[in-house]
Short mmCIF file of all heavy atoms in Angstrom, two decimals:
data_model
loop_
_atom_site.label_atom_id
_atom_site.label_comp_id
_atom_site.label_asym_id
_atom_site.label_seq_id
_atom_site.Cartn_x
_atom_site.Cartn_y
_atom_site.Cartn_z
N CYS A 14 -2.47 -11.14 -5.24
CA CYS A 14 -2.64 -9.70 -5.14
C CYS A 14 -3.93 -9.39 -4.38
O CYS A 14 -4.95 -10.03 -4.58
CB CYS A 14 -2.69 -9.07 -6.52
SG CYS A 14 -1.11 -9.10 -7.36
N LEU A 15 -3.83 -8.43 -3.52
CA LEU A 15 -4.98 -8.04 -2.73
C LEU A 15 -5.10 -6.52 -2.74
O LEU A 15 -4.14 -5.84 -2.41
CB LEU A 15 -4.82 -8.50 -1.27
CG LEU A 15 -5.21 -9.93 -0.93
CD1 LEU A 15 -4.83 -10.22 0.50
CD2 LEU A 15 -6.69 -10.13 -1.15
N CYS A 49 -2.14 -2.34 -4.42
CA CYS A 49 -2.00 -3.76 -4.19
C CYS A 49 -1.28 -3.98 -2.87
O CYS A 49 -0.14 -3.55 -2.70
CB CYS A 49 -1.23 -4.41 -5.34
SG CYS A 49 -0.92 -6.16 -5.05
N THR A 51 -0.19 -6.64 -1.67
CA THR A 51 0.88 -7.63 -1.75
C THR A 51 2.17 -7.00 -2.28
O THR A 51 3.26 -7.33 -1.82
CB THR A 51 0.45 -8.78 -2.66
OG1 THR A 51 -0.81 -9.26 -2.20
CG2 THR A 51 1.46 -9.90 -2.64
N HIS A 52 2.02 -6.12 -3.24
CA HIS A 52 3.22 -5.60 -3.89
C HIS A 52 3.59 -4.19 -3.43
O HIS A 52 4.58 -3.64 -3.92
CB HIS A 52 3.03 -5.65 -5.41
CG HIS A 52 3.04 -7.05 -5.94
ND1 HIS A 52 1.91 -7.69 -6.37
CD2 HIS A 52 4.06 -7.95 -6.05
CE1 HIS A 52 2.23 -8.92 -6.75
NE2 HIS A 52 3.52 -9.11 -6.56
N GLU A 69 1.93 0.23 -5.08
CA GLU A 69 1.71 -0.43 -6.36
C GLU A 69 0.25 -0.20 -6.73
O GLU A 69 -0.64 -0.69 -6.05
CB GLU A 69 1.99 -1.93 -6.22
CG GLU A 69 2.01 -2.66 -7.55
CD GLU A 69 3.15 -2.21 -8.45
OE1 GLU A 69 4.27 -2.04 -7.96
OE2 GLU A 69 2.89 -2.00 -9.64
N TRP A 71 -3.44 -0.18 -8.02
CA TRP A 71 -4.42 -1.21 -8.31
C TRP A 71 -5.23 -0.78 -9.50
O TRP A 71 -5.61 0.38 -9.56
CB TRP A 71 -5.31 -1.43 -7.09
CG TRP A 71 -6.20 -2.62 -7.25
CD1 TRP A 71 -7.48 -2.62 -7.69
CD2 TRP A 71 -5.85 -3.97 -7.00
NE1 TRP A 71 -7.95 -3.91 -7.73
CE2 TRP A 71 -6.98 -4.76 -7.31
CE3 TRP A 71 -4.69 -4.60 -6.55
CZ2 TRP A 71 -6.98 -6.15 -7.18
CZ3 TRP A 71 -4.70 -5.97 -6.42
CH2 TRP A 71 -5.84 -6.73 -6.74
N CYS A 73 -3.25 -4.32 -10.03
CA CYS A 73 -1.83 -4.60 -9.97
C CYS A 73 -1.35 -5.25 -11.26
O CYS A 73 -2.00 -6.12 -11.81
CB CYS A 73 -1.54 -5.51 -8.79
SG CYS A 73 0.21 -5.81 -8.56
N LYS A 74 -0.18 -4.79 -11.71
CA LYS A 74 0.39 -5.34 -12.94
C LYS A 74 1.57 -6.24 -12.64
O LYS A 74 2.29 -6.66 -13.53
CB LYS A 74 0.86 -4.19 -13.84
CG LYS A 74 -0.19 -3.14 -14.08
CD LYS A 74 -0.74 -3.24 -15.48
CE LYS A 74 -1.53 -2.01 -15.91
NZ LYS A 74 -2.49 -1.55 -14.90
N GLN A 75 1.82 -6.48 -11.37
CA GLN A 75 3.02 -7.21 -11.00
C GLN A 75 2.94 -8.69 -11.33
O GLN A 75 3.92 -9.30 -11.66
CB GLN A 75 3.28 -7.05 -9.50
CG GLN A 75 3.73 -5.66 -9.13
CD GLN A 75 5.06 -5.33 -9.72
OE1 GLN A 75 6.03 -6.08 -9.61
NE2 GLN A 75 5.16 -4.18 -10.39
N THR A 76 1.77 -9.23 -11.21
CA THR A 76 1.62 -10.65 -11.49
C THR A 76 1.52 -10.86 -12.99
O THR A 76 0.65 -10.29 -13.63
CB THR A 76 0.36 -11.21 -10.81
OG1 THR A 76 0.45 -10.92 -9.43
CG2 THR A 76 0.28 -12.71 -11.00
ZN1 ZN B 101 0.12 -7.19 -6.75
#
Side-chain angles (χ1 to χ4, degrees):
C14 289
L15 277 174
C49 175
T51 308
H52 290 107
E69 189 65 44
W71 189 265
C73 185
K74 308 253 195 314
Q75 289 295 310
T76 305

